[in-house]
Amino acid sequence: MVLLGIILILVLSGSYHAITSNATTEVAPVMKKCYTSIVIKPGETLTSLAQEYSGEHYESVTDYIREVMWINHLESSQIIAGEYIILPYYSEVGEVQQ
């Protein structure tokens, strides 16, 4: 009976090792949505700001501009140099194993 228990333990531990040793560990960045306030420079547009700040986290520049307009309570896409505008952006804050 003791021998059967030892054999069972060896078989189970070998199976567990085989399962865990074949597993691959992938690391993915953890992104956090942040906000910044900037002074609009002469010549800047919502499109130029979107191209600089949106990164790969929005489906389109238009989606980013809509969010910026909503955050800043803008009724048109016209912005004025010298005024402040709040812009969302994403920043990496760490990594997570998948």
Side-chain angles (χ1 to χ4, degrees), residues 4-94:
L4 182 61
I6 292 172
I7 293 172
L8 183 60
I9 290 172
L10 291 174
V11 168
L12 290 177
S13 66
S15 297
Y16 176 75
H17 178 70
I19 291 170
T20 58
S21 65
N22 289 334
T24 59
T25 303
E26 294 181 25
V27 177
V30 175
M31 304 302 287
K32 178 181 176 182
K33 190 173 193 176
C34 303
Y35 298 88
T36 188
S37 177
I38 65 160
V39 176
I40 301 165
K41 297 174 189 162
E44 287 184 319
T45 64
L46 287 180
T47 301
S48 68
L49 293 172
Q51 291 169 341
E52 183 178 346
Y53 285 90
S54 66
E56 300 172 359
H57 305 286
Y58 292 86
E59 288 193 28
S60 68
V61 169
T62 303
D63 288 344
Y64 183 83
I65 291 172
R66 281 189 194 124
E67 183 173 343
V68 169
M69 289 178 68
W70 181 78
I71 291 168
N72 291 280
H73 307 284
L74 300 175
E75 293 182 12
S76 81
S77 61
Q78 294 293 318
I79 56 176
I80 301 169
E83 292 190 347
Y84 285 87
I85 191 167
I86 297 169
L87 301 172
Y89 67 95
Y90 283 84
S91 179
E92 188 174 328
V93 295

